[in-house]
Amino acid sequence: MKRVTLLVLLIAFVCAAGMLFASGAPTAEKEAKPAAVKEDVIKIGVLMNLTGPWASIDGPAWNSVQLAVKDINDAGGILGKKVDAICIDTKADEAETVSAAVRLCETENVNAVIGYCDTHWVLTAAPIVREYGIPFITPGATHPRIPERSGAWLACFSDAAQASIVAEYAYKEKGLRTVSVWIDNACDFSVACCAFFEDAFKHFGGKVVYEDYFETDWTDYSALVTRLKSRQNETDFVYVGAIPGNIGIIVKQIREGGITMPIYSEDGADTPLLAEVAGRHAEGVIITSHMTLESKEPNVVKYIKGYNAMHGKNPENAFAALGYDATMLVAEAIKKIGSAEPKKISAGLSLIKELKGVTGTISYPAGMQVPNKTVALLESKGGKFLLIKNAAPVYMPPKEIAK
Amino acid sequence: MLKVDGIDVHYGVIPAVRELSLSVDKGQVATLVGANGAGKTTTLKAIMGTLPAKRGTIRYKGEEITGVPADRRVGMGIALVPEGRQIFSRLTVGENLALGAYHRKDKEAIKKDREWIYTLFPVLRERINQLAGTLSGGEQQMLALGRGLMSHPELLMLDEPSLGLAPIVVVDIYEVIKEINRSGITVLLVEQNINMAMKISSYAYIMETGKIRTEGAPNEVMKRENIMKAYLGE
Amino acid sequence: MFDIRATFSKVDRRLMAVILIAVLFLCLWVASTAFSKYIVFIITLIGVYIVASASLNLTNGYTGLFSLGHAGFMAVGAYTSALLTFPVKGREIFVIPKLPMFLGGPEAAWPFLPALVMGGVFAAILAAVVGLPVLRLRGHYLSVASLGLMVLVTALAMNLRNLTRGSIGINSIPTYTNIWWAYGCAVVTVYVVWRVVNSSFGRAMKAIREDEIAARVQGINPLKYKLLAFTIGAFFAGIAGGLYAHISGAIRPYAFSFNLTFQIVIMVVLGGQGTISGPIVGTVLVTVLRYVLKPLEEALGVYGLVELIYALLLIITMLRKPEGIMGRKSGGPRGGRWVGSLGGKKS
Amino acid sequence: MIVLTPEYIIQQIFNGIVFGAMYALLALGMTVIYGILRLIHFAHGALITVGSFCFYLLFMVLGLPFPAAIVLVIGLGALMGLILDMVAYKKAVGGPEVSMLITSLGFYIFIENLMKLIVSPQPYAFQSPPFLDTIYSMPVLTFRTIDIFIIATSIAIMVFFTLFVKKTKMGVAMRATSESGEAARMVGINIGRVISISFIIASAIAAITGFMWGAKYGQIAYNMGFMAGVKAFVAIVIGGVGSIPGAMLGGFILGILETFSVAFLPPGYAAYRDGIVFFILILILIVKPSGILGQREVE
């Protein structure tokens, strides 16, 4: 009767697990704090894919949330209350995402949720959080249609803005007329950003020669490089919709394939990996981003120092800084409205004007959940990203372009 | 030379041999006969060590070898020519023979054995570079025998060497078995072809459903068997 | 000792099954009222995965086809049902195509059940069409071909952007799947699998698994039975996909890729292939384990700990009990640990 | 629109061969293990991750000279193989094939997540020694020394390995064991040793492939081995499970197919690459149900 024994053991295991849940997990943490004290804590729930393909983006954002929480608490908390953050790793899985969102709202009693640097996951989690009237702020998901689809707030500018800036710069200031676009087909952000870029570039008068596609997990781009080389006579420059995980490899392979045309990219390319992986080949790559780590602004310097002290390394990419600002947005909203009541935080967010964040000055125009922010145009030089200029877009591609 | 005492052997989860005892004397040709599924092959595998004996002991030249792994038993002088030959069909004839002497280091003696095998089976010399899988059934049996002999055994176990072969080839193979025995190698033979086997052996065991039913000199066993058949109508 | 199985066989098995189901639903009712939404969600999710693993068991466990393409069929079911049920007023914002006339016209959105069934039917049609050439393959060759089918489905989902919105996936799918839908489907799936394997049809399938040539000699047409098993399995995979789409509310092409396929295969093999209870036990274990360990992971700040422990337990279980937790050692040399593949396997 | 100039075609063929060479090396190790254990060794992919990070540590962090680092990487890879063999597979051998497959999947998940905890999920920049990083730009072909290194090394490994299994006693024993483990034991082959040696060789090859991967692409990450493992599995099946030349051929076919499905179709189809590749693979299997060089399986 081995099978029956096993079955009994199994049922016992499941029951035990159920009890553990029912008593409210994580038990240890909760029981340590009496209920009365809990009221004095502002709890921020964080949803990130710390495991899986997005780990290299979401991890730094979570690191920065931790730093922001520490900085806020060191400064005495918000409205006299301490801030606490709990992060659930959703492992790039939809079911995990939904269950984690439910858990944050149901059993963790969070006041606000910060989550994800990629659109799909925001759109998965945010509608659930919205049902509880809890605000959802995404540090780095740049799709402009996120608010209408899920009610989430963006801490970053939208893809439409950054694509317009880079298109204008290439066409007007560099005199580039024809472009080939490399789209990461497996990455929704890249697809959207490239669509905005093409629209903006055409708006300014440029011409898209051809589109080529790759997927995030590729490592060999030689076939695409060879194709680009065979058409370099008709192409002035290439726009690559890459994320931190592959921008370095792509730039390296383009240059090693003997192609010298300018390479442009977006905020996904804002990572030290570009210079580290591509080395000398990274020289002159132009990208748009949220900030530059070379900035001498005191708050940026302080942020980098703090990050280094806490995690033993410099911020990995732009999404790290956005994680910090997203947390600061929550804090500011609570301060503005004078309450940590979840439903009121949303109202507080809409009051935010001219908040000086690490990634620039943030204000939400009336009725908008995408902030007005300047876009930083950067150039990779000597292993660093140097600021060309901060600019606001003159032309905004219609957000309907992106699916 | 070989003494098996009360072994139980399982094949997968099925018990195939129960409390089996037998012994083979030096220089003998002993035969183990029985119907399909009686457990003959399992017995040989247990002696070889490719199947473990769950109970009982196996002694070889006075030494207990029950727990010794198969590959070390080869070095002690036990060889098995398995049922269905099991030559390495994707290897050449030469490689098959060389593998027979896998554990041996004495180059000169290996060469001598190889020459001896070529005189026993001249056809193998002709086919030395051919893939073993392309040989005819009879040639494959010769190769299997040759591979077994290459390990320089003192006890050679043959599992149904006549299986699936033309009668004329069977006669040849049996001539060789006799020849091998004459050169001083003890032989334990498993056969369904009782008549052939009884002719060359000096002792016989009859197996039935995992047990020894009867044993003795071949003539007597045959006689008893005939009586039993008459009685039981088998 | 009290022998449960002996008692089982005395009582009418059908009655027993009815009682079991009644008890199950009673437990579910208690759970759905007593526990928080979070736990209810996990219980529901387990039900969805049971539909997937029980149906995979039909092909992998009972018919001996080691298919790795299950996630592909789930994708078909998920996309079909999601597109059919998507509310009309949301289609504008989410850029989801309106339904063509023969599916009800632009002003229509399907109710859940017909959409779910439609997803299953589409998956089954795909399985039948692809199965005809592919099921002639055996062993690993079939595994790779079915894996290829899954990659093809993913590639299509990624690129037919006007239909599927590509890599961004479809979000805000109405979350119809609740505990009753999930376990209703699970009970139907397990019942169908049970009926199939205990019919003459199932005996033919098992004969093919044990020895295809011998089965053919007995007049069984292996392709026919393989195709039927594959198609039924795919149908329920489509249902599982539909349930998944409507519980998570969001799908994307990569959700139905290597991870999901391997996860479901692991559930089936861990529980024990070719048994009714195996996939259920495997599914419950794997899912519960993940969620039980999560708070530990967060408390220690070691993200990835769940996977480490999970992998470790998986390895240990497979080494100790290679036939799976509920699996029975098969007789004969092939299932035996000692001889097994190192033994007389000829290839 | 595609411009089919001779240079374009030559360059694309070259791209495919370099890419395929690495798949071929991985598939080689995997097929050896499969032949002997009937085990689809998914964790093989994890060994290229381990190999590349070992080289990173030895060469870039500790600053060892290149030859020493390479030798150590090969040694560590071999050691990893031995450890895997000892802790796990010795016990798994002989179980049903699926449970061995799940075991190896379990090992993959374990190693990947352990790597993630050790090195963090961030990708690492991988600097190859300068002499492997020189670009040669010719009218017909643009390549780097690493490309030549990859082709030369993989051909050398394949030749050596073929000679090893053909000419040495251990190699012949390996082939014999892969045909029938039981018969191999009957002729006195110590199967445990054969298995260990296959693991050592296969893992050493995987480790050096990890170095090549890093040197060619310049970036390594904790999860780089998964797709490589899956692709190696696909390659050995296409070539014919258990066949050593088949695995190498399968690897090259896969690499070339991946390149060609991008190169010789209009740009928009690049997004379908994996779909196209697998579609062609299914077609190959339908025409040759036992892989290109595989024997028909007899049940």
Side-chain angles (χ1 to χ4, degrees), chain C residues 122-193:
Chain C
F122 273 23
I125 291 173
L126 177 69
V129 171
V130 175
L132 216 49
V134 162
L135 288 175
R136 289 168 206 277
L137 302 172
R138 290 148 178 262
H140 299 300
Y141 301 101
L142 176 67
S143 302
V144 162
S146 56
L147 198 69
L149 176 66
M150 183 203 78
V151 173
L152 263 173
V153 171
T154 317
L156 286 176
M158 192 91 79
N159 289 293
L160 298 176
R161 275 192 227 145
N162 290 330
L163 193 63
T164 64
R165 305 206 309 146
S167 52
I168 195 168
I170 300 177
N171 306 91
S172 290
I173 302 164
T175 44
Y176 291 133
T177 306
N178 57 23
I179 203 163
W180 309 114
W181 278 109
Y183 281 88
C185 290
V187 165
V188 171
T189 311
V190 173
Y191 177 73
V192 168
V193 171

Side-chain angles (χ1 to χ4, degrees), chain A residues 41-343:
Chain A
V41 171
I42 294 170
K43 199 164 182 185
I44 298 176
V46 182
L47 296 172
M48 293 286 173
N49 288 316
L50 299 177
T51 310
W54 282 273
S56 65
I57 305 179
D58 282 4
W62 163 233
N63 287 344
S64 285
V65 172
Q66 287 171 288
L67 175 63
V69 166
K70 181 179 163 284
D71 285 355
I72 292 168
N73 286 337
D74 286 351
I78 316 169
L79 308 176
K81 293 179 185 176
K82 290 276 174 209
V83 179
D84 190 14
I86 172 177
C87 180
I88 301 181
D89 175 13
T90 56
K91 302 179 192 302
D93 177 286
E94 279 81 0
E96 294 256 2
T97 302
V98 176
S99 69
V102 171
R103 188 178 131 204
L104 283 183
C105 302
E106 284 269 336
T107 56
E108 304 290 346
N109 296 317
V110 295
N111 300 70
V113 177
I114 292 175
Y116 304 115
C117 298
D118 181 81
T119 310
H120 173 76
W121 304 104
V122 174
L123 292 182
T124 305
I128 297 160
V129 176
R130 175 167 60 177
E131 279 173 34
Y132 289 86
I134 297 171
F136 190 107
I137 299 107
T138 169
T142 42
H143 200 291
R145 302 189 75 174
I146 285 176
E148 58 177 315
R149 287 178 178 177
S150 71
W153 297 74
L154 275 61
C156 47
F157 51 65
S158 82
D159 289 329
Q162 64 166 329
S164 169
I165 294 285
V166 83
E168 186 189 349
Y169 179 75
Y171 189 88
K172 288 195 178 150
E173 293 185 35
K174 289 287 173 180
L176 303 171
R177 292 292 176 266
T178 53
V179 64
S180 293
V181 182
W182 282 25
I183 303 166
D184 183 346
N185 195 44
C187 176
D188 47 49
F189 147 71
S190 173
V191 173
C193 201
C194 291
F196 287 126
F197 170 77
E198 286 179 19
D199 176 78
F201 195 60
K202 282 181 204 153
H203 168 84
F204 291 114
K207 178 174 165 257
V208 177
V209 181
Y210 76 103
E211 288 176 350
D212 219 334
Y213 295 90
F214 60 95
E215 282 177 26
T216 315
D217 58 356
W218 290 16
T219 42
D220 192 294
Y221 300 88
S222 55
L224 275 69
V225 170
T226 307
R227 169 147 56 215
L228 184 60
K229 196 178 184 192
S230 75
R231 306 188 68 169
Q232 60 183 346
N233 293 335
E234 35 178 335
T235 311
D236 288 343
F237 73 113
V238 57
Y239 185 77
V240 182
I243 60 167
N246 52 23
I247 180 67
I249 305 188
I250 291 175
V251 169
K252 182 176 158 76
Q253 289 187 30
I254 288 178
R255 289 286 182 254
E256 282 169 357
I259 296 168
T260 49
M261 69 176 70
I263 301 173
Y264 284 61
S265 189
E266 18 63 3
D267 61 331
D270 185 6
T271 160
L273 277 172
L274 172 59
E276 283 168 24
V277 173
R280 63 191 139 94
H281 303 309
E283 287 297 296
V285 173
I286 288 171
I287 65 167
T288 45
S289 189
H290 308 271
M291 60 166 304
T292 164
L293 288 174
E294 307 310 317
S295 164
K296 294 286 168 273
E297 297 274 333
N299 63 337
V300 178
V301 174
K302 177 172 167 275
Y303 161 71
I304 296 169
K305 233 188 221 158
Y307 194 95
N308 207 318
M310 194 168 189
H311 302 291
K313 56 196 164 192
N314 276 340
E316 288 89 342
N317 46 45
F319 298 101
L322 287 167
Y324 190 86
D325 277 359
T327 319
M328 287 306 179
L329 277 172
V330 174
E332 180 71 11
I334 295 173
K335 271 183 217 156
K336 279 243 162 36
I337 205 87
S339 164
E341 185 83 6
K343 289 199 171 69

Side-chain angles (χ1 to χ4, degrees), chain B residues 45 48-50 71 74 80 82 86-91 95 99 102 104 147, chain D residues 166 169-170 172-173 175-176 179-180 182-190 295:
Chain B
K45 284 186 176 169
M48 190 66 237
T50 53
D71 49 276
V74 177
L80 171 62
Q86 293 208 17
I87 49 156
F88 302 112
S89 57
R90 278 179 255 159
L91 271 55
E95 286 170 336
L99 277 176
Y102 183 77
R104 296 170 67 185
R147 191 182 68 188
Chain D
K166 287 262 185 240
K169 208 168 157 184
M170 180 44 84
V172 177
R175 276 157 61 215
E179 204 176 322
S180 163
E182 194 183 30
R185 292 209 319 216
M186 281 175 195
V187 300
I189 295 170
N190 180 345
Q295 275 101 355

Side-chain angles (χ1 to χ4, degrees), chain C residues 341-342, chain D residues 31-39 93 173-179 181 191 194-195 198:
Chain C
S341 59
L342 257 192
Chain D
T31 206
V32 168
I33 291 170
Y34 180 83
I36 289 167
L37 293 179
R38 314 280 146 198
L39 161 78
V93 166
M174 265 163 84
R175 276 157 61 215
T177 311
S178 83
E179 204 176 322
I191 290 197
V194 172
I195 294 174
S198 335

Side-chain angles (χ1 to χ4, degrees), chain C residues 51-130:
Chain C
V51 177
S53 61
S55 57
L56 183 68
N57 192 27
L58 197 62
T59 48
N60 288 29
Y62 286 106
T63 325
L65 309 166
F66 198 69
S67 162
L68 289 176
H70 218 52
F73 297 122
M74 288 177 72
V76 173
Y79 272 98
T80 308
S81 65
L83 288 173
L84 287 176
T85 58
F86 208 87
V88 178
K89 62 175 166 37
R91 286 185 190 243
E92 201 81 45
I93 297 177
F94 284 90
V95 204
I96 307 259
K98 301 221 148 129
L99 294 177
M101 276 326 282
F102 67 94
L103 288 175
E107 286 310 309
W110 286 36
F112 188 34
L113 185 64
L116 207 55
V117 173
M118 204 62 189
V121 169
F122 273 23
I125 291 173
L126 177 69
V129 171
V130 175

Side-chain angles (χ1 to χ4, degrees), chain A residues 3 89 94 96 103, chain C residues 161 252 254 294 298 326:
Chain A
R3 282 158 55 91
D89 175 13
E94 279 81 0
E96 294 256 2
R103 188 178 131 204
Chain C
R161 275 192 227 145
R252 85 202 134 99
Y254 268 168
K294 278 206 103 150
E298 285 139 29
M326 303 307 287

